[in-house]
Amino acid sequence: MRGKFSFRKKDDRRLSIRTKWILFICTTTFVALIGTVIFMQISIGNVLKKDNLSSNKVTAKSASEQISLNLKGYENSLKQLSGVVSNEINNRDSVIGIEKLLQTVKKNDSTIISAYYMDGKTGKLHISPYADFKQDVHETRTYKTLTKTPKVTWMDVYKDKISGKIMTSVVIPVTINGKMVGALGYDIDLTTIGASRRKIEKYTENNLVILDSQGFVVSAFIENSDGKNMNPEKSGTVEGVSDLISNRENFNSQYDWVSRVYKKDSMPPLDVDLNKKGYNGQVTTIPDLNWKVVSLTPKDIFSSKMNDIKQTGIISIIIGLIIGALCAYYLSGMLKKIILNIQEVLKRTSSGDLTTELSIPSRDELGDLAKSYNEMLAGMRQLIFKVKNNVVSVETTTNGVNTIASENNVAIAEVSQSIEQIAMGASAQSNQIENGLHTIKELSLEIDLLLEQSNMVEKEMQEASTQVRVGEEQVEGLKTSYKNIEVSLTIGSLIPIYLWYYDF
């Protein structure tokens, strides 16, 4: 890099950090939203299934209670009529009075097809409106049933021989002194119960099927099904009651669940197909009648709700991606601005500018990075200042050493001059030649030592920048040598005086 940062040339194939951030955040958001939507669909799907089951249970129970309440109305009416008829028979034994009562009941309640009295004494049937019934009532299924169980009884769906209508009947025994003397009954058109069924269906998404104790349709949402058989096991057992589907094989396979309904006291949730349409359902029983109320919810309603949830999830994903992309664009823009700022400061630093600092005001890792970088620049400036001071100190020391060396040269020159003078004095004073030669020899040794030390000083001056401490030690040595020279010079100057004194 040679003191500067090297920056790569722009590569057209690279992705900018903004693009990477947008892709990363959008991908993360997409995955998170997909996971959330799937989880919500599964959770809401389970909730909707439970809600459908609960709704079916509530609807079936409500329908059974409503139908039971309607039927109770007929039962209560029969009980009251039975009491009046018992009094009429006990007091007057008048058939005419009973017929008038039946006419009044029929007139006041249009839902009753006919009101009748089975006379146990004569075996005749008194009915309003009038019909020619020639069979002895003792031979009828209704009278035989009441003889075995003398209580209010609802008959199964059947086809009336007189009117040809599919209907059901409710009958009650007429007793005097605890003995059955006859029976009262109402023939009820199934459309009456159908009206109650439609009223319940109007306020729910459920469809109802009401079956009697054998599996014959009392009322159902299935078109043209009233009075027909839905139980494969009862197929062809009642005269005039046909199966809901004429094809026996299809009938058995499609409605086998009806047979299971009558075999078990409680049934798990139903999953059935009617007329090529799927349904989920629940079954309840009308008390004391063993009538079954089946509440069915079309599966396409559940599918429609799930599609709505799916569409909502897709819209949520799109909105989430848009928001994520906008956030990524904004955040990546801020990051790009910070990176460009860092890049610019690094360029200035590589160019030798140690004063321009990073300015990132955010209180996060980037702010910590800027703070650390600025501290590094401050440390570099202090280091450079310290190095500069050390260089100045070295230069000052070197200059001092040069001064000392110059002074040493001057001293050596003076010593040389003194030696010359001594040599001239020695030639004049031959008597002291031996002592002078000895002294001169010592002085020559000192001079050689001084010359050698001077050469060493000159050599060491060249290395003073790195060996300042060694130079200082040598200067101390020079000072010591210089003192020795002064002593020697003092001795040398005393010799002529001594010789003069001696001659004298």
Side-chain angles (χ1 to χ4, degrees):
M1 292 190 294
R2 296 183 180 181
K4 295 184 179 180
F5 291 99
S6 62
F7 297 94
R8 295 181 179 179
K9 294 182 179 180
K10 186 176 180 180
D11 187 357
D12 294 336
R13 294 175 297 176
R14 74 185 183 95
L15 292 175
S16 67
I17 192 169
R18 171 171 289 183
T19 303
K20 290 180 180 178
W21 267 66
I22 291 174
L23 291 175
F24 175 75
I25 293 181
C26 287
T27 302
T28 305
T29 304
F30 179 75
V31 172
L33 289 173
I34 284 290
T36 303
V37 169
I38 293 174
F39 176 77
M40 286 181 61
Q41 282 193 324
I42 294 174
S43 301
I44 295 175
N46 292 332
V47 171
L48 288 177
K49 288 180 180 178
K50 292 180 180 179
D51 183 65
N52 284 341
L53 293 176
S54 176
S55 175
N56 281 328
K57 286 182 179 180
V58 171
T59 302
K61 185 176 181 181
S62 176
S64 64
E65 291 175 351
Q66 182 65 40
I67 292 170
S68 179
L69 184 62
N70 291 341
L71 298 180
K72 286 290 183 182
Y74 295 113
E75 292 178 8
N76 293 332
S77 175
L78 272 179
K79 288 178 181 179
Q80 293 176 1
L81 183 60
S82 175
V84 175
V85 170
S86 295
N87 291 331
E88 185 72 22
I89 294 172
N90 194 30
N91 296 329
R92 300 181 183 180
D93 195 13
S94 173
V95 175
I96 296 175
I98 296 174
E99 290 179 347
K100 287 182 178 180
L101 288 172
L102 296 175
Q103 291 172 4
T104 302
V105 170
K106 175 63 179 71
K107 183 179 179 180
N108 293 334
D109 193 345
S110 60
T111 62
I112 298 175
I113 295 176
S114 60
Y116 55 88
Y117 171 67
M118 295 179 174
D119 193 339
K121 293 181 180 180
T122 63
K124 291 183 178 182
L125 178 68
H126 304 278
I127 186 169
S128 177
Y130 175 79
D132 186 13
F133 187 78
K134 297 179 179 180
Q135 184 181 4
D136 190 336
V137 296
H138 295 93
E139 298 176 0
T140 63
R141 181 168 60 95
T142 302
Y143 201 86
K144 291 178 180 179
T145 302
L146 281 179
T147 302
K148 293 180 181 179
T149 54
K151 64 178 183 178
V152 177
T153 304
W154 283 90
M155 305 304 295
D156 294 327
V157 174
Y158 66 98
K159 184 177 182 181
D160 184 55
K161 294 181 178 180
I162 299 174
S163 64
K165 293 182 178 180
I166 302 299
M167 62 181 69
T168 186
S169 298
V170 56
V171 292
I172 187 171
V174 177
T175 59
I176 297 177
N177 298 325
K179 183 179 179 181
M180 179 176 168
V181 296
L184 286 169
Y186 295 154
D187 288 334
I188 301 171
D189 192 348
L190 296 183
T191 57
T192 303
I193 298 177
S196 298
R197 173 187 61 78
R198 286 188 293 273
K199 186 177 180 181
I200 296 171
E201 290 177 339
K202 182 179 179 181
Y203 299 100
T204 66
E205 295 177 341
N206 305 79
N207 298 315
L208 297 175
V209 176
I210 303 169
L211 304 174
D212 69 3
S213 60
Q214 297 188 74
F216 301 158
V217 179
V218 177
S219 181
F221 71 96
I222 305 171
E223 188 176 357
N224 299 322
S225 62
D226 291 358
K228 293 186 178 181
N229 175 39
M230 285 186 69
N231 187 354
E233 292 188 355
K234 296 295 181 178
S235 179
T237 58
V238 177
E239 183 182 355
V241 178
S242 61
D243 295 336
L244 191 60
I245 298 178
S246 58
N247 187 304
R248 184 62 183 272
E249 184 177 350
N250 292 339
F251 179 64
N252 291 338
S253 61
Q254 189 169 346
Y255 293 99
D256 61 337
W257 58 271
V258 179
S259 301
R260 295 196 301 271
V261 166
Y262 288 92
K263 291 179 181 179
K264 298 180 180 179
D265 294 334
S266 61
M267 279 289 294
L270 297 176
D271 185 1
V272 300
D273 291 325
L274 298 177
N275 298 330
K276 299 180 180 180
K277 189 174 182 180
Y279 294 87
N280 295 315
Q282 289 284 344
V283 180
T284 59
T285 302
I286 298 178
D288 302 328
L289 296 178
N290 198 29
W291 284 17
K292 305 295 182 181
V293 177
V294 184
S295 177
L296 301 172
T297 302
K299 291 182 179 179
D300 55 4
I301 294 177
F302 176 79
S303 300
S304 177
K305 291 180 179 179
M306 291 304 298
N307 288 334
D308 291 340
I309 295 172
K310 186 181 294 183
Q311 290 177 0
T312 303
I314 293 173
I315 294 172
S316 299
I317 291 174
I318 294 173
I319 294 175
L321 286 175
I322 293 173
I323 295 174
L326 293 176
C327 291
Y329 185 82
Y330 174 74
L331 292 175
S332 62
M334 292 180 60
L335 183 62
K336 183 178 181 181
K337 184 177 179 181
I338 292 172
I339 291 175
L340 290 176
N341 181 24
I342 295 174
Q343 188 179 18
E344 181 64 24
V345 172
L346 291 176
K347 285 182 179 180
R348 289 176 176 270
T349 303
S350 66
S351 300
D353 182 0
L354 301 180
T355 59
T356 302
E357 296 182 344
L358 279 175
S359 178
I360 303 176
S362 59
R363 296 182 179 180
D364 51 22
E365 288 78 2
L366 291 174
D368 295 340
L369 174 63
K371 183 178 179 181
S372 299
Y373 185 80
N374 294 336
E375 289 176 354
M376 182 193 72
L377 287 181
M380 290 177 66
R381 290 195 296 268
Q382 292 178 1
L383 179 62
I384 291 172
F385 180 76
K386 186 175 181 180
V387 170
K388 183 178 180 181
N389 289 338
N390 290 337
V391 170
V392 172
S393 177
V394 170
E395 289 178 351
T396 302
T397 303
T398 303
N399 291 333
V401 171
N402 290 334
T403 301
I404 293 172
S406 298
E407 291 177 352
N408 287 338
N409 289 332
V410 172
I412 291 171
E414 291 177 352
V415 169
S416 298
Q417 186 178 1
S418 298
I419 291 172
E420 290 179 358
Q421 291 177 356
I422 291 171
M424 292 176 64
S427 61
Q429 298 174 358
S430 58
N431 291 330
Q432 301 296 327
I433 189 66
E434 289 182 1
N435 292 331
L437 289 173
H438 180 72
T439 301
I440 290 169
K441 187 179 289 185
E442 290 179 355
L443 290 174
S444 296
L445 292 173
E446 293 292 336
I447 290 168
D448 291 337
L449 180 60
L450 288 173
L451 289 174
E452 184 180 353
Q453 290 177 347
S454 178
N455 292 330
M456 290 175 66
V457 168
E458 290 179 358
K459 183 178 179 180
E460 290 174 356
M461 283 174 60
Q462 296 176 358
E463 301 176 355
S465 59
T466 57
Q467 300 180 357
V468 174
R469 187 175 297 175
V470 176
E472 290 177 353
E473 292 178 357
Q474 291 178 350
V475 169
E476 292 296 329
L478 289 173
K479 287 181 180 180
T480 303
S481 300
Y482 184 71
K483 288 180 181 180
N484 293 333
I485 293 171
E486 285 182 347
V487 172
S488 299
L489 289 176
T490 302
I491 294 172
S493 62
L494 290 176
I495 290 174
I497 297 172
Y498 172 78
L499 292 176
W500 176 80
Y501 176 79
Y502 181 81
D503 289 338
F504 180 79

